[in-house]
Amino acid sequence: MDVLVVGAGAIGGYYGGRLAQAGARVSVVARSDYSVVVREGIRIESPAGDFHFRPDRVLHKAEDLGRYPDVILVGLKVLKHIRPAELLRAAVGPKTALLLIQNGVDVERPVAEAFPDNEILSGLAFICVHRTSPGCVLHQDYGRLVLGRYPEGTSSRAEKLAEMFRRAGVPCEVTPNVVTARWHKLVWNAPFNPMSVLCGGANTSEMLGHDETARLVRAVMEEVCAVASAAGHALPDDVVERMITDTRKMTPYKTSMLLDYEAGRPMEVEAILGNAVRIARRLGVHVPRMETLYALMCGLSQKS
């Protein structure tokens, strides 16, 4: 399988490296890390075993590949100034599948509209991972992937990718309801990401270690479930309890939004909160806590 990774940061570097371990030919588009990745590749520190990933090719732009890959793995942040369709277009052939491993809900639509004849695969990464320095990725915990065809269904390409990820030690399942899976992940992201910033740099353990913040985490999770249900994507009754229990067990973790804030980078406020709040308003679902977090994060983003 010929794979091009666009967005070779923590997500792209880790999962691209795992596909290479499984035998795929993996090239990467690297921007700020270009010279380091050309010279040294990408080093991943992981509880599942450290490894060194040397891409087949390291590129400035997707079109520099000079061929149409089987799969383009998109690990870009979901931000207003990043337009994936423009970055990918020259590398997308008639049979190229686009795998979006990104945060948030309703993030696939712009790519699906730009490439109506291509297979769009949506991916959810349940993982604690971040880029520590150019060409270096730290995987702290978890790592499970959920893949599915957008807007629904499965495919032979999705099954093949899942099999390759599993071969490299990544737990991976294929779901026929990937939009529901996105709402499932948002149950975790919607409280923990913005609250980690608004609580002054708190990690997951610290947020759950105080009664008031733990109560807010739970309340936001319940609001996400209500919106998901109204949108036709009802989640299991015990999803909130399981999310909180699992988070208490995991290694204390600084969220991706907090890491972006501390580094002075734009945050994924719209993908993680804005889109869900707008869907809630459209469906008439009352989400006062999510709206408050969204308003505060908008104010903070505007100021930073």
Side-chain angles (χ1 to χ4, degrees), residues 10-12 14-19 73-75 99-103 121-129 139 141-148 158 160-175 178 181-182 185:
I11 291 293
Y14 180 77
Y15 288 111
R18 292 301 188 192
L19 284 175
L73 190 164
V74 181
L99 170 59
L100 313 180
I101 305 182
Q102 297 177 298
N103 278 326
L121 300 173
S122 192
L124 290 305
F126 296 84
I127 189 170
C128 300
V129 66
H139 170 214
D141 212 339
Y142 294 95
R144 180 172 67 94
L145 272 178
V146 177
L147 308 179
K160 175 64 175 175
L161 280 164
E163 191 278 327
M164 293 183 75
F165 278 121
R166 289 192 290 264
R167 193 187 312 161
V170 175
C172 186
E173 65 181 271
V174 177
T175 175
V178 75
R182 280 205 168 272
K185 187 180 180 186

Side-chain angles (χ1 to χ4, degrees), residues 60-275:
H60 283 294
K61 298 176 292 184
E63 55 261 42
D64 294 341
L65 186 64
R67 61 179 185 268
Y68 296 136
D70 299 314
V71 176
I72 297 179
L73 190 164
V74 181
L76 297 164
K77 294 279 187 179
V78 184
L79 300 168
K80 286 183 177 180
H81 70 278
I82 297 178
R83 297 177 174 82
E86 296 176 11
L87 299 175
L88 307 176
R89 190 170 299 282
V92 177
K95 298 181 180 179
T96 301
L98 304 170
L99 170 59
L100 313 180
I101 305 182
Q102 297 177 298
N103 278 326
V105 292
D106 200 30
V107 300
E108 304 95 341
R109 185 165 39 84
V111 176
E113 290 173 353
F115 303 103
D117 299 323
N118 291 85
E119 181 176 15
I120 308 298
L121 300 173
S122 192
L124 290 305
F126 296 84
I127 189 170
C128 300
V129 66
H130 66 276
R131 172 183 167 277
T132 55
S133 62
C136 294
V137 172
L138 174 62
H139 170 214
Q140 291 177 270
D141 212 339
Y142 294 95
R144 180 172 67 94
L145 272 178
V146 177
L147 308 179
R149 186 166 184 159
Y150 176 82
E152 60 184 0
T154 63
S155 71
S156 59
R157 190 82 60 98
E159 295 287 356
K160 175 64 175 175
L161 280 164
E163 191 278 327
M164 293 183 75
F165 278 121
R166 289 192 290 264
R167 193 187 312 161
V170 175
C172 186
E173 65 181 271
V174 177
T175 175
N177 302 304
V178 75
V179 175
T180 302
R182 280 205 168 272
W183 283 104
H184 188 280
K185 187 180 180 186
L186 193 70
V187 171
W188 194 95
N189 274 336
F192 283 112
N193 270 280
M195 285 178 61
S196 65
V197 176
L198 296 169
C199 289
N203 64 33
T204 50
S205 179
E206 291 165 339
M207 283 181 274
L208 290 177
H210 188 281
D211 288 346
E212 292 301 322
T213 49
R215 189 174 292 114
L216 180 57
V217 166
R218 183 182 296 275
V220 173
M221 287 182 168
E222 290 169 351
E223 289 184 355
V224 174
C225 291
V227 182
S229 182
H233 299 283
L235 301 173
D237 292 340
D238 66 342
V239 63
V240 170
E241 202 58 52
R242 283 193 292 110
M243 287 268 186
I244 291 173
T245 298
D246 289 347
T247 304
R248 289 189 188 279
K249 293 177 183 176
M250 79 183 195
T251 303
Y253 177 62
K254 278 191 169 187
T255 69
S256 60
M257 192 175 279
L258 175 57
L259 293 172
D260 285 339
Y261 178 71
E262 290 180 338
R265 297 187 295 260
M267 296 174 286
E268 295 180 298
V269 175
E270 297 302 327
I272 290 175
L273 280 175
N275 289 354

